């Protein structure tokens, strides 16, 4: 998964991503997350962790971490992203159904945040 260098640095600073999981891409100064970390974000677990940290800072309900599934299958991704939707809404983030379908479908090509 490719990220802007600012987002990558922010995730490291928050403790969401280990610095060893981030490498610099040769394209446009982007950074790339290693495969394990990319899979965590695609499955929803990485975003659940991020949203929970941000929710704690804002005094909001965290993501229900104990209910997320860890197996990276399409069904599990859909389940996890469905759990994330109400948490994301608390931050005024709407998850477009088409975007969710693309996330669940997965694939390594052109993953960018």
């Amino acid at each position: 998964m490719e990220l802007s260098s600012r987002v990558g640095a922010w995730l490291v600073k928050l403790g969401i991503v280990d610095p060893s999981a981030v490498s610099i891409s040769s394209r446009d100064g982007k950074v790339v997350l290693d495969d394990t970390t990319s899979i965590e974000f695609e499955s929803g677990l990485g975003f659940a962790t991020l949203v929970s940290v941000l929710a704690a800072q804002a005094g909001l309900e965290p993501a229900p971490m104990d209910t997320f599934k860890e197996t990276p299958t399409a069904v599990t991704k859909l389940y996890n992203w469905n759990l994330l939707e109400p948490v994301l809404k608390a931050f005024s983030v709407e998850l477009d159904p088409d975007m969710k379908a693309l996330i669940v479908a997965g694939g390594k090509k052109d993953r960018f945040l």
Side-chain angles (χ1 to χ4, degrees):
M1 175 181 287
E2 287 188 334
L3 309 169
S4 71
S5 59
R6 291 180 67 200
V7 171
W10 178 65
L11 292 173
V12 169
K13 182 178 178 182
L14 286 174
I16 307 300
V17 172
D18 188 279
S20 66
V22 181
S23 61
I24 296 175
S25 171
S26 60
R27 298 189 319 179
D28 303 325
K30 305 269 191 266
V31 296
V32 179
L33 298 180
D34 65 18
D35 286 344
T36 301
T37 306
S38 294
I39 289 168
E40 287 176 7
F41 273 90
E42 289 172 0
S43 73
L45 289 172
F47 281 101
T49 303
L50 172 60
V51 169
S52 292
V53 168
L54 296 176
Q57 292 175 352
L60 299 171
E61 282 291 315
M65 297 300 293
D66 58 335
T67 58
F68 281 81
K69 309 292 184 197
E70 291 189 29
T71 310
T73 65
V75 172
T76 301
K77 287 180 189 178
L78 180 59
Y79 174 83
N80 289 347
W81 281 95
N82 283 336
L83 287 175
L84 271 173
E85 273 191 279
V87 181
L88 292 171
K89 282 184 183 178
F91 289 95
S92 299
V93 175
E94 295 289 328
L95 187 58
D96 178 83
D98 292 334
M99 182 59 71
K100 185 166 53 171
L102 288 171
I103 293 167
V104 170
K108 293 184 179 183
K109 186 176 181 184
D110 298 327
R111 291 183 293 190
F112 179 75
L113 174 65

